[in-house]
Amino acid sequence: MRLWTLLTAAALSLPLALPARAADKPLTREALVAVLKTEQVWCSGWRAQDQSCEDIALSELQGDKVRQVSRYRMSTEPNLEMVVRETVSIEGDALCSTFRFNDLEILVLVDDEPAPVEQAAPILAILAQSMAHLEGKKSCEAYVQDDATGDLKASVTLDGEAAPEFDSIYRLIKPDTRILLRPVFKDEDEPTAV
């Protein structure tokens, strides 16, 4: 499961998904692999009026593993973003991993530049603390594809139990599309281009 899904839901305590409609199709393992091979950008929280996302991710298929790189904007003042790299496994028809904060590669950006260690360290400490209750839990994300939009609706389990507070919806977007990134913590709603 993606870090930004965990972080957004944990920090904001908001349910993120809509129930699947009867016409939607669960993705099989083969269909999931086919989607991953398209190398599209996974956009969470798509907003059509300004073509913006709450966060974005790219996935690279490596056998039964998937290397994910996600980016999300924490705030506008200061302009604070994070780039997170993680590896998950394809298990059946889902993407799964055991959450270990120290296994994540997290780069804190301030105004599109890597933050100095003294600035990044407290941000990472707060992030680790906010997610400590997830440490060691196995998360799996299975998908249903909306026939009308092509969006992927993710259903999450933690240690085999449904965790709807972490469910999400992803819009698949071509990599060369200009996408605006909205802040997770909404002091203001002005997006930034990525």
Side-chain angles (χ1 to χ4, degrees):
M1 178 181 20
R2 293 182 169 71
L3 172 68
W4 72 85
T5 304
L6 290 170
L7 173 65
T8 303
L12 303 178
S13 300
L14 295 174
L16 300 176
L18 301 174
R21 298 185 315 243
D24 298 342
K25 298 177 185 172
L27 287 187
T28 63
R29 178 187 184 91
E30 293 75 23
L32 176 57
V33 167
V35 168
L36 291 167
K37 286 181 177 179
T38 66
E39 298 182 357
Q40 295 183 83
V41 176
W42 292 46
C43 161
S44 178
W46 170 254
R47 193 168 68 187
Q49 71 254 31
D50 59 2
Q51 294 190 326
S52 68
C53 303
E54 290 175 356
D55 44 67
I56 57 171
L58 293 170
S59 298
E60 180 185 351
L61 191 60
Q62 300 174 340
D64 282 344
K65 302 280 187 192
V66 179
R67 183 75 169 151
Q68 298 175 329
V69 179
S70 58
R71 185 170 179 152
Y72 53 98
R73 188 175 191 198
M74 300 303 295
S75 66
T76 55
E77 291 298 326
N79 181 15
L80 177 64
E81 296 184 30
M82 289 191 191
V83 176
V84 180
R85 292 178 184 88
E86 62 181 318
T87 301
V88 299
S89 299
I90 301 173
E91 296 183 18
D93 59 359
L95 295 180
C96 300
S97 66
T98 299
F99 182 77
R100 302 219 187 285
F101 187 81
N102 288 336
D103 289 346
L104 302 172
E105 298 173 39
I106 304 174
L107 176 63
V108 177
L109 301 174
V110 177
D111 296 326
D112 294 320
E113 295 293 329
V117 172
E118 62 274 7
Q119 191 173 11
I123 294 167
L124 295 175
I126 291 168
L127 184 61
Q129 182 180 11
S130 72
M131 303 176 79
H133 66 288
L134 300 169
E135 194 69 24
K137 292 187 182 280
K138 182 176 182 176
S139 64
C140 288
E141 200 170 65
Y143 306 93
V144 172
Q145 189 155 31
D146 184 299
D147 283 342
T149 65
D151 291 352
L152 298 180
K153 298 175 185 179
S155 297
V156 175
T157 59
L158 288 176
D159 287 341
E161 299 290 324
E165 67 273 20
F166 296 121
D167 292 354
S168 194
I169 299 174
Y170 302 104
R171 168 75 41 109
L172 301 178
I173 299 173
K174 294 180 182 176
D176 59 351
T177 304
R178 182 180 170 91
I179 302 169
L180 301 175
L181 198 56
R182 298 190 310 273
V184 172
F185 301 108
K186 296 172 176 58
D187 298 335
E188 60 183 81
D189 214 19
E190 183 179 330
T192 185
V194 292

